[in-house]
Amino acid sequence: MQDKTNKTDKTHSSLNRRKFLAASASAAAIGFGAPAFVRGRNLNEKLNIAIIGSGGRGGSNLRSVSSENITVLCDVNEQNLFRAGQSHPKAEKVKDFRKVFDHPEKFDAVVVSTCEHTHAFATLPALQLKKHVYCEKPLTHSVWEARVIREAARKANVATQMGTQIHAGDNYRRVVELVQSGAIGPVQEAHVWVSRAWGWHPSEAEAKAANDIVYSPKRPSHSDPVPKGVDWDLWLGPAPERPFNNIYFPGPKWYRWWDFGNGTMSDLGSHWIDLPFWALKLDYPLTIEAEGPPIQKEIAPASMQAVYEYGQRGDLPPVTVGWYQGTNKPKFWQEKKIPQWANGVLFVGEKGMLLSDYRKHVLLPEKEFADFTPPAPSIPKSLGHHAEWIHASKTGEPTTCNFEYAGLLTEANHLGNVAYRTGKKLHWDTQAMRATNAPESDQYIRREYRKGWKLI
């Protein structure tokens, strides 16, 4: 998995990307001016919020924003609507999220917690109406959708936040400060691994050994009765029509099926790759290569790995970022050169290494950093991931996982799957939004939608 591209080519490509990114980077840095209906708003005044997706993650997000005024509840599952309505009896109840936007005067902001394949369809109309949006991760189902949402958010000039909740934790902040202050010197490689092995397994025994929640080696040929109160056609949304089966529902069973999700790469990648993306100021990869089990038409792999190459970013050197899921692990881990953490992010610098997970981190080799004094904290403590978004919606201050940042992260994560499904090392042209050496990857960058569904 070595790249033959020379450093001069990488730098040239990187400089072209810098020009392309200049406007968006500036927009992300300065935040946004509050829309007319929010400017001058009393911070004690509550936002009117529409909840799209009120079960599972949606129920958790609902509880996290319940300090505000919940005016609309939407879910394709009547049971979810009923439960959410118990705590918010005055909220209007809607089954089809498209109808939520028929009455935009009822809400200032939207929380989107549908399944991955409908994220963009619920998020885009909210942005077009200049409503603040909190959307669960991953931001979208495809690379093209991520680009559409990022550009729409830039035009809308509203408060946006992707649901990478761990980004608000203190540990990530301290790691970013260490990396960016040069504690381990210039970083030229990073490795990210997660132990979750959900997806396609060669056998049911291996699926059980991996603690997967369901097992299916292929698309089921039979249908099951649709649960009472569930609108299966609405649940499918833009995805190709197929009969209901319990293997897809309820969540998160669906996330392994390409028609509805992108497996662990886009799901946990949103949380774990977030750390090197932040610390190393990443944007667009130059190349992406992936490997794993034989490619399955319907199901994402339980175990796989991908390698991204990024060009020089300002005074930061080119860097490779490795992703490993399930049974795959980086060589540093396999050779026991680092603590055997089940999940982690490893930064490899010229002066040492830094290993982190969600809540702790360590400089390696530990004996060489025994007398090290970390830099004083410089990144402010978060108000809380949801609270940060609510505060931004009222004040116009920036959020840390806004759709500019989250859109770039989502594009990169999806490209790992595109490389895997294409079976080639991709040379990525971000302006054209295509792999120059693999036109067959286009089908995974942007897909066709079911009749009656159109994003733009």
Side-chain angles (χ1 to χ4, degrees):
M1 299 173 72
Q2 294 291 323
D3 183 20
K4 300 294 192 295
T5 307
N6 62 46
K7 291 185 178 180
T8 301
D9 290 339
K10 289 183 184 179
T11 301
H12 177 72
S13 177
S14 181
L15 287 173
N16 287 337
R17 292 183 309 134
R18 296 290 84 70
K19 294 177 182 178
F20 179 73
L21 288 171
S24 60
S26 297
I30 64 175
F32 62 93
F37 68 86
V38 171
R39 281 196 296 266
R41 187 179 211 127
N42 188 318
L43 288 178
N44 293 322
E45 185 180 347
K46 294 185 177 182
L47 288 174
N48 293 327
I49 298 180
I51 302 293
I52 298 179
S54 59
R57 282 300 313 157
S60 176
N61 287 332
L62 172 58
R63 290 188 290 274
S64 294
V65 299
S66 287
S67 59
E68 304 304 300
N69 187 25
I70 308 302
T71 57
V72 183
L73 293 168
C74 178
D75 203 290
V76 299
N77 187 339
E78 290 179 357
Q79 291 185 12
N80 291 340
L81 275 181
F82 176 79
R83 283 193 292 267
Q86 296 298 295
S87 301
H88 304 279
K90 295 182 180 180
E92 179 184 354
K93 298 178 182 62
V94 183
K95 184 170 64 172
D96 186 340
F97 68 74
R98 292 170 294 184
K99 294 182 178 179
V100 171
F101 302 105
D102 290 342
H103 300 282
E105 73 280 358
K106 293 184 177 180
F107 54 93
D108 307 318
V110 179
V111 175
V112 177
S113 307
T114 62
C115 300
E116 183 177 333
H117 67 292
T118 49
H119 278 182
F121 285 83
T123 296
L124 184 60
L127 293 172
Q128 291 171 332
L129 289 167
K130 297 189 182 298
K131 305 296 184 180
H132 307 294
V133 187
Y134 181 104
C135 181
E136 258 308 317
K137 50 78 186 159
L139 186 60
T140 65
H141 184 262
S142 71
V143 173
W144 176 76
E145 288 179 355
R147 187 71 61 89
V148 168
I149 295 301
R150 188 161 61 88
E151 292 176 350
R154 199 180 302 154
K155 292 177 183 177
N157 206 31
V158 294
T160 59
Q161 185 91 306
M162 185 172 78
T164 45
Q165 296 84 7
I166 198 66
H167 192 98
D170 289 340
N171 184 62
Y172 269 26
R173 282 161 164 69
R174 303 295 81 82
V175 170
V176 170
E177 290 163 354
L178 284 167
V179 171
Q180 294 186 353
S181 67
I184 59 172
V187 175
Q188 296 181 333
E189 60 180 293
H191 303 274
V192 185
W193 65 96
V194 297
S195 58
R196 181 193 288 177
W198 291 0
W200 183 84
H201 292 274
S203 70
E204 187 170 10
E206 290 182 59
K208 288 182 178 179
N211 296 315
D212 204 340
I213 55 176
V214 292
Y215 170 71
S216 180
K218 60 182 179 179
R219 180 171 173 168
S221 58
H222 69 283
S223 61
D224 293 324
V226 178
K228 184 179 179 180
V230 173
D231 190 320
W232 178 241
D233 185 69
L234 273 180
W235 190 95
L236 283 173
E241 187 173 358
R242 67 171 69 194
F244 176 84
N245 190 284
N246 291 316
I247 203 75
Y248 313 128
F249 182 91
K253 294 178 180 178
W254 52 264
Y255 107 144
R256 71 199 57 231
W257 298 89
W258 293 123
D259 279 350
F260 311 131
N262 285 273
T264 302
M265 173 86 252
S266 66
D267 185 76
L268 287 185
S270 298
H271 289 303
W272 287 94
I273 298 179
D274 174 35
L275 184 53
F277 218 83
W278 186 6
L280 299 175
K281 301 180 181 180
L282 301 179
D283 42 54
Y284 294 104
L286 301 177
T287 68
I288 314 97
E289 186 175 14
E291 61 182 53
I295 301 164
Q296 305 298 312
K297 181 180 178 181
E298 300 270 359
I299 311 173
S303 298
M304 66 164 283
Q305 65 187 59
V307 176
Y308 299 81
E309 293 191 340
Y310 289 88
Q312 187 164 329
R313 301 156 324 284
D315 59 354
L316 297 176
V319 63
T320 61
V321 178
W323 164 262
Y324 315 80
Q325 68 183 57
T327 57
N328 293 40
K329 297 290 189 295
K331 283 188 177 181
F332 285 96
W333 193 96
Q334 294 174 0
E335 296 172 359
K336 297 185 177 181
K337 294 180 178 178
I338 58 174
Q340 302 289 280
W341 294 3
N343 310 282
V345 179
L346 180 70
F347 296 90
V348 182
E350 291 183 1
K351 299 178 182 178
M353 299 185 291
L354 194 165
L355 175 63
S356 176
D357 63 10
Y358 279 173
R359 295 177 175 82
K360 63 183 182 297
H361 62 269
V362 60
L363 291 165
L364 301 171
E366 289 188 77
K367 62 180 181 180
E368 294 185 15
F369 288 93
D371 299 323
F372 177 79
T373 301
S378 58
I379 303 174
K381 188 177 182 65
S382 175
L383 298 171
H385 205 61
H386 295 84
E388 181 182 303
W389 172 68
I390 290 171
H391 180 75
S393 299
K394 295 179 180 180
T395 66
E397 294 184 12
T399 55
T400 54
C401 285
N402 57 71
F403 290 175
E404 184 68 39
Y405 173 88
L408 288 167
L409 173 61
T410 300
E411 282 191 28
N413 286 343
H414 284 328
L415 283 170
N417 275 329
V418 173
Y420 168 72
R421 298 175 77 182
T422 304
K424 285 185 176 180
K425 181 173 185 174
L426 305 182
H427 294 264
W428 185 241
D429 181 339
T430 186
Q431 296 187 50
M433 206 173 10
R434 62 188 299 271
T436 57
N437 65 317
E440 63 269 36
S441 66
D442 290 351
Q443 62 186 310
Y444 306 125
I445 294 166
R446 178 180 182 178
R447 70 168 176 173
E448 293 185 7
Y449 299 123
R450 187 161 63 117
K451 185 178 180 180
W453 291 82
K454 186 178 180 180
L455 187 60
I456 58 174

